[in-house]
Amino acid sequence: MTTRPEQPPTLNPNMLNRRTARLAGVVLVAFMAAGAASNAWWTWTGDHSFLPDDISTHRILDGGVTHDMSTRLADMDFSSEAARLQRGLGWLTIGDLGDRVRRGCPGWLFLGDELQVHANGQAHEQARADIVAQLQQSLAKRGIKLLVAVVPDKSRIEAQRLCDLHRSPAFQDRLSHWVQTLQGRGVQTVDLSAALTGLGQDAYYRTDTHWTEAGAGAAARAVAERIKGTGVPLQPPTGYRVTASAPALRPGDLVRLAGVDWLPVGLQPPGEVIEQHTWTTQAPPASAAGNSADDLFGDSGLPTLALIGTSYSRTSSFAPQLSQALGVSVGNFARDGGKFGGAAQTYFKSAAWKQTPPRLIVWEMNERDLQTPLAAEDQVRF
């Protein structure tokens, strides 16, 4: 009698599913337990509060309480570390940089906000045009001129570097339409596209949102020419000594925004080695500065040109290059993350505005902010 060799037991598909489900359940429970313990430790050991200050009924009903709680949870150590690891693994495995940062041609990164189409975008743009026009009229009553300088999207100037990224055709005429609208309402406006386009690849950094020193310089000279055309007398005169630093690796803000800047440099998106410059103010002669016995209160030493705007006015030495092109000091009141109206609203509440108003205000703004939904800080007035 022959016996058949014993066959290895086979796993029933249902049994395999149950075992897999149990394993997934164990991992999930362990992850949740670790998160709960971490959050409890975070709340217990630090000056942190999990619940928001306002837990009124209407805040609960409109979702404000849960929104605040989720925001605070995201700031806890465990949540932040898990998100950081997820972003790093996403980049290393599939080249993903998240929703905020998009990859164009090799080595080029773009801000996702520039490619986003907003519902009712034209209505938001028109509302902003109303805000600018009303501000210009209010300033004119006080004898102050306004010049709006519009920074084009990096994805507009570097369109050839987008590769597979899609930029909506609806954006093609957005900038020119904005300029025409403002000029039609009596607001002096300068579109910086022509100045930046002439620089080609040197206008914007590859891994950063902002313009290069060369791009900022070209924009500054274009703005300076328009300022000279206004005929507004500016002071005080100033000069600069420019020194170059040794070429060094410049971290890009898009790498930081993508959350992969904690990785070793060799594993991050390739950075840029650049030569940066430092603009050091040179004091003008006393006679040129207007220091005389007639200047009882020292007003001749105060800038009569104020610059408000976004981080573009604070990077790549745009303000010093504008000052150098004009030969006068510039009061820089721009703000990082200020978007459309943040810096302007802060400036018009400041002591600098109330005590020493300028003769001319340059309002620098980004193209990508024109059609976004309006926020409270966009309602600029004084």
Side-chain angles (χ1 to χ4, degrees):
M1 179 177 179
T2 59
T3 59
R4 295 182 180 180
E6 291 187 5
Q7 298 294 325
T10 58
L11 282 176
N12 185 294
N14 292 331
M15 182 182 298
L16 180 61
N17 290 339
R18 285 198 297 271
R19 291 182 179 179
T20 305
R22 288 172 184 169
L23 178 60
V26 170
V27 172
L28 177 61
V29 170
F31 184 83
M32 293 176 64
S38 174
N39 294 342
W41 180 257
W42 180 84
T43 304
W44 178 262
T45 58
D47 184 18
H48 307 124
S49 175
F50 174 65
L51 293 175
D53 297 330
D54 184 2
I55 54 174
S56 57
T57 303
H58 77 276
R59 286 275 294 157
I60 295 175
L61 295 177
D62 67 10
V65 171
T66 54
H67 175 269
D68 291 345
M69 290 170 62
S70 64
T71 300
R72 296 187 185 194
L73 280 171
D75 291 334
M76 294 181 178
D77 296 339
F78 185 82
S79 303
S80 299
E81 189 66 17
R84 189 172 74 102
L85 291 173
Q86 183 273 329
R87 288 191 291 267
L89 289 173
W91 162 247
L92 294 175
T93 55
I94 60 175
D96 177 57
L97 292 173
D99 295 333
R100 297 295 308 278
V101 180
R102 310 296 299 279
R103 297 174 62 194
C105 297
W108 283 84
L109 304 180
F110 293 87
L111 185 66
D113 293 353
E114 290 190 3
L115 307 176
Q116 183 177 358
V117 178
H118 296 279
N120 303 316
Q122 292 184 348
H124 299 318
E125 180 182 326
Q126 183 59 48
R128 284 183 168 83
D130 294 339
I131 292 170
V132 175
Q134 291 169 9
L135 178 66
Q136 185 268 337
Q137 294 170 7
S138 299
L139 290 173
K141 293 177 181 178
R142 300 186 56 167
I144 302 172
K145 290 187 178 295
L146 175 67
L147 174 63
V148 172
V150 192
V151 180
D153 288 341
K154 175 182 175 180
S155 56
R156 174 185 293 277
I157 302 301
E158 304 290 356
Q160 293 183 344
R161 308 292 173 177
L162 290 174
C163 284
D164 294 333
L165 293 181
H166 175 71
R167 178 177 165 90
S168 173
F171 296 160
Q172 184 61 36
D173 298 327
R174 178 172 60 184
L175 188 52
S176 60
H177 180 266
W178 171 257
V179 172
Q180 291 171 5
T181 299
L182 291 188
Q183 291 179 341
R185 301 188 65 171
V187 180
Q188 295 193 56
T189 310
V190 53
D191 175 3
L192 300 176
S193 297
L196 294 171
T197 301
L199 295 176
Q201 186 177 332
D202 295 327
Y204 288 85
Y205 291 116
R206 288 187 290 105
T207 61
D208 200 284
T209 317
H210 300 97
W211 44 31
T212 61
E213 280 189 1
R221 291 188 291 274
V223 173
E225 287 302 312
R226 291 298 299 272
I227 291 175
K228 293 174 183 178
T230 65
V232 176
L234 301 175
Q235 65 174 27
T238 191
Y240 286 89
R241 183 180 74 254
V242 183
T243 56
S245 61
L249 183 66
R250 183 188 187 279
D253 69 345
L254 292 175
V255 177
R256 184 169 59 254
L257 182 62
V260 296
D261 55 321
W262 60 274
L263 292 170
V265 174
L267 298 179
Q268 297 178 23
E272 298 171 82
V273 176
I274 63 169
E275 179 185 77
Q276 292 185 298
H277 297 80
T278 301
W279 274 258
T280 304
T281 305
Q282 299 284 85
S287 58
N291 295 330
S292 67
D294 295 332
D295 184 24
L296 298 179
F297 301 102
D299 290 342
S300 63
L302 299 175
T304 53
L305 170 60
L307 172 64
I308 57 178
T310 70
S311 56
Y312 280 86
S313 292
R314 293 173 51 83
T315 56
S316 300
S317 299
F318 171 76
Q321 293 189 80
L322 175 61
S323 178
Q324 185 181 48
L326 292 169
V328 298
S329 294
V330 174
N332 190 357
F333 301 94
R335 197 182 84 182
D336 293 345
K339 295 190 177 181
F340 173 78
Q345 193 170 103
T346 300
Y347 173 63
F348 289 121
K349 293 178 180 178
S350 69
W353 160 252
K354 296 175 182 177
Q355 298 172 10
T356 56
R359 300 290 301 274
L360 172 67
I361 294 176
V362 174
W363 186 355
E364 170 264 309
M365 58 186 63
N366 296 335
E367 177 190 352
R368 66 172 179 262
D369 293 329
L370 298 179
Q371 295 184 344
T372 60
L374 269 75
E377 67 178 2
D378 292 330
Q379 303 294 339
V380 179
R381 62 176 64 89
F382 61 85

